Amino acid sequence: MKKINFSAGPAILPASVITQAAAAVEDLDGSGLSILEISHRSKAFDAVLVEAEALVRELLNVGDEYGVLFLSGGASTQFFFTAMNLLNPDETAGYLDTGSWSAKAIKEAKLFGHVNVVASSKESNYNHIPKGYTVPGDLKYLHLTSNNTIFGTQFQSFPETDAPLVADMSSDIFSRRIPLERFGIIYAGAQKNLGPAGATLVIVRKDLLGTVERQLPSMLDYRVHIKGSSTFNTPPVYPIYVMMLTLRWIKEQGGLTAMEAHNERKAKLLYDEIDRNPKFTGTVSDDESRSLMNVTFVCTDDADTGRFLAAAEAAGCDGIKGHRSVGGFRASIYNSMPYEGVETLVNVMKEFN
Ligand SMILES: *Cc1c(COP(=O)(O)O)cnc(C)c1O
């Protein structure tokens, strides 16, 4: 039986992308070569990189003042890469602490400069996005995690500040429209909303670079990768190819306006059932903080948990077990999750007694 993949990541991809990606392993566009064996300096791969970058720019409205990079190392590498390239030892960056990934970014940034944790929801096990805080005026940048994959919370709007925003958008990039011009750096590991694990998308405003005093190793300097158009060294060729296919798919669906409507509709279906059905309780404390990508909930009576998991699995719903730090369930309903997939899960909830 084909399963419905609710995994938090690596995560579901569009069925058409999987088909094309599989075909390219055999033969890339009739070239007689597999995508797995072509040179990263070949014409064929250059065309992939050019198209992937063009799609990123088109979908998110990214101008020439930004570089678009396809790197390796995952979002976790960007936790230190961002601070290393932007923050001098005597400067301060603001961080919003909204989950385990934010906390990891904070830990790494402290290696390079001062960190001001402007707001945190840690005391309540990260069950909401903080509100009502003031952002200090003298920050080099303000870092946030736009969607907290583990805790099921998401910024619905971005904090007011004159500082450029630096955002980990690993789990909600391309899921909605964003005010791109407010961001200095956006980074995202591919494996949630973009492709398989192995590639990391980074969008970086060029005028922010070259302002740190420290020496940067070439591989850890954004300017080197911008100059080398992501081929300073061998980039993750296959993950970038699949990312390009996914970006094409997003464009075919109607771009970010269509993605946003699709994601809102799916999330509403599931949250409405969580709110209606006394057997289930959401784990996020206020509706405004609820994520459209990762929907977290528990069985109201913990004794039902194992039985519900078994019922969902019997209906083909895979990967809904919650993260150990929250418990219960987490349905990850990224861009590629069809509406019908969410309907299947909701039907299991409706019939559960
Ligand atoms: C998955 C995830 C990460 C970790 O990404 P890696 O690519 O494994 O380093 C970081 N931040 C967020 C928001 C994530 O969802």
Side-chain angles (χ1 to χ4, degrees):
M1 176 167 88
K2 175 80 183 127
K3 289 182 178 166
I4 307 164
N5 187 2
F6 287 95
S7 166
I12 187 167
L13 287 168
S16 61
V17 167
I18 302 266
T19 305
Q20 295 168 68
V25 169
E26 289 287 345
D27 184 352
L28 177 63
D29 299 332
S31 65
L33 294 170
S34 162
I35 180 75
L36 302 183
E37 59 183 1
I38 61 166
S39 163
H40 63 295
R41 308 210 183 272
S42 62
K43 274 212 179 95
F45 185 64
D46 187 53
V48 170
L49 266 182
V50 167
E51 184 173 350
E53 175 173 341
L55 285 164
V56 169
R57 289 191 186 274
E58 181 184 341
L59 290 167
L60 279 175
N61 239 322
V62 183
D64 287 341
E65 65 277 27
Y66 290 88
V68 172
L69 301 174
F70 303 93
L71 305 178
S72 53
S76 299
T77 294
Q78 295 304 313
F79 294 162
F80 68 81
F81 213 129
T82 45
M84 193 176 190
N85 278 258
L86 297 187
L87 194 60
N88 280 306
D90 59 346
E91 292 174 328
T92 303
Y95 275 73
L96 298 175
D97 177 27
T98 57
S100 334
W101 298 118
S102 309
K104 285 182 174 158
I106 290 168
K107 176 169 180 272
E108 304 290 289
K110 284 181 178 165
L111 298 170
F112 301 100
H114 299 291
V115 168
N116 180 341
V117 178
V118 174
S120 173
S121 48
K122 186 171 188 206
E123 292 300 302
S124 50
N125 198 31
Y126 297 119
N127 70 358
H128 66 285
I129 298 288
K131 275 191 291 214
Y133 53 88
T134 12
V135 183
D138 59 341
L139 302 175
K140 189 79 183 274
Y141 62 85
L142 179 66
H143 181 283
L144 58 90
T145 313
S146 56
N147 182 71
N148 298 280
T149 324
I150 293 175
F151 299 92
T153 65
Q154 185 176 27
F155 283 84
Q156 302 310 338
S157 63
F158 297 101
E160 288 309 319
T161 168
D162 291 333
L165 298 173
V166 172
D168 175 0
M169 292 198 185
S170 294
S171 53
D172 68 350
I173 193 153
F174 298 110
S175 69
R176 56 175 173 173
R177 290 164 298 169
I178 51 162
L180 193 270
E181 66 288 349
R182 298 205 46 212
F183 293 87
I185 297 182
I186 291 171
Y187 60 90
Q191 69 272 24
K192 314 295 171 43
N193 236 347
L194 275 174
T200 311
L201 173 65
V202 181
I203 301 168
V204 51
R205 219 177 76 198
K206 294 177 205 165
D207 67 334
L208 297 174
L209 303 176
T211 64
V212 286
E213 294 142 20
R214 72 180 58 87
Q215 299 283 307
L216 297 168
S218 307
M219 275 296 284
L220 301 183
D221 186 338
Y222 289 124
R223 291 170 303 175
V224 170
H225 294 289
I226 291 172
K227 190 155 172 279
S229 303
S230 301
T231 51
F232 171 73
N233 75 321
T234 316
V237 169
Y238 190 53
I240 294 171
Y241 175 72
V242 182
M243 205 193 273
M244 186 276 285
L245 295 176
T246 307
L247 292 165
R248 266 189 199 163
W249 176 85
I250 294 172
K251 185 178 168 182
E252 282 159 22
Q253 304 302 302
L256 299 195
T257 313
M259 277 298 126
E260 194 173 294
H262 168 64
N263 290 325
E264 280 171 3
R265 188 165 163 257
K266 284 182 297 181
K268 181 171 183 332
L269 180 67
L270 187 45
Y271 282 121
D272 281 353
E273 180 60 18
I274 291 168
D275 292 340
R276 183 204 66 82
N277 192 329
K279 287 252 168 211
F280 302 98
T281 309
T283 69
V284 174
S285 65
D286 66 308
D287 291 1
E288 269 172 70
S289 298
R290 281 176 160 181
S291 167
L292 301 188
M293 298 277 96
N294 310 95
V295 177
T296 51
F297 58 99
V298 294
C299 281
T300 310
D301 179 355
D302 189 41
D304 286 339
T305 303
R307 247 179 356 102
F308 179 69
L309 184 64
E313 282 175 351
C317 299
D318 192 76
I320 66 160
K321 200 168 186 305
H323 190 272
R324 61 188 178 281
S325 53
V326 182
F329 304 97
R330 168 176 53 175
S332 298
I333 54 173
Y334 298 121
N335 282 349
S336 335
M337 173 61 69
Y339 186 78
E340 298 71 39
V342 181
E343 266 180 337
T344 302
L345 178 61
V346 166
N347 286 337
V348 177
M349 294 167 79
K350 283 193 171 133
E351 284 160 21
F352 187 67
N353 53 42

